[in-house]
C-alpha cells in the first residue's frame, strides 16, 4: 500500500502522538481471546467505531509476537490504524465517517 492508498498517511506525527495520549486515558472496550477469530474481532471493533474513533483492545494471550502480528491483520481487515501497542493492549484509530444529513 503506498501513501496515496493509505488514508492515514495524512496524519502528522503530532496527531499520532495526541492519539497515543488519548489512548492512555481510555479503558479497553474490546477483549480479544487467544482463539478469537479475526472476523469477530473486526465486528466488535466496528460496533465501537460507530461511537468513537479510538478503541482500545486487550489481548488475552501471553505471546507478544502473536499480538503484533494480529495488530497488523486487524489494521488491514478493519481499515484502522494501530496507534499504540503496549504489552497486551493496543489502540486502534479509525476516523468516523461524516454523518449524512
Amino acid at each position: 500500500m503506498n501513501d496515496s492508498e493509505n488514508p492515514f498517511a495524512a496524519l502528522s506525527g503530532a496527531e499520532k502522538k495526541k492519539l497515543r495520549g488519548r489512548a492512555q486515558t481510555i479503558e479497553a472496550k474490546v477483549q480479544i481471546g487467544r482463539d478469537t477469530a479475526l472476523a469477530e474481532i473486526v465486528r466488535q471493533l466496528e460496533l465501537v467505531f460507530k461511537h468513537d474513533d479510538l478503541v482500545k483492545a486487550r489481548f488475552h494471550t501471553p505471546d507478544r509476537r502473536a499480538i503484533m502480528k494480529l495488530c497488523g491483520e486487524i489494521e488491514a481487515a478493519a481499515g484502522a490504524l494501530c496507534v499504540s501497542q503496549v504489552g497486551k493492549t493496543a489502540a486502534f484509530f479509525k476516523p468516523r465517517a461524516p454523518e449524512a444529513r
Side-chain angles (χ1 to χ4, degrees):
M1 179 181 294
N2 61 35
D3 284 350
S4 64
E5 296 172 355
N6 184 349
F8 303 108
L11 285 178
S12 69
E15 290 170 320
K16 291 176 186 176
K17 183 177 180 179
K18 187 174 181 179
L19 288 169
R20 285 192 296 273
R22 274 183 51 207
Q24 290 180 346
T25 65
I26 63 175
E27 292 189 30
K29 293 186 179 177
V30 175
Q31 303 295 320
I32 301 172
R34 193 179 322 202
D35 299 323
T36 307
L38 181 60
E40 177 61 19
I41 295 168
V42 171
R43 187 189 71 74
Q44 290 179 26
L45 284 171
E46 290 299 333
L47 289 173
V48 181
F49 279 137
K50 287 181 181 178
H51 304 285
D52 200 356
D53 60 352
L54 188 64
V55 178
K56 192 180 229 180
R58 174 168 289 284
F59 295 85
H60 296 280
T61 180
D63 186 357
R64 298 218 173 149
R65 283 188 215 160
I67 292 171
M68 290 173 55
K69 181 181 179 222
L70 191 53
C71 283
E73 292 172 1
I74 291 169
E75 282 182 317
L81 175 68
C82 182
V83 294
S84 173
Q85 193 271 315
V86 179
K88 295 181 180 184
T89 62
F92 297 93
F93 171 72
K94 183 176 182 179
R96 290 171 52 188
E99 296 181 28
R101 293 180 185 211

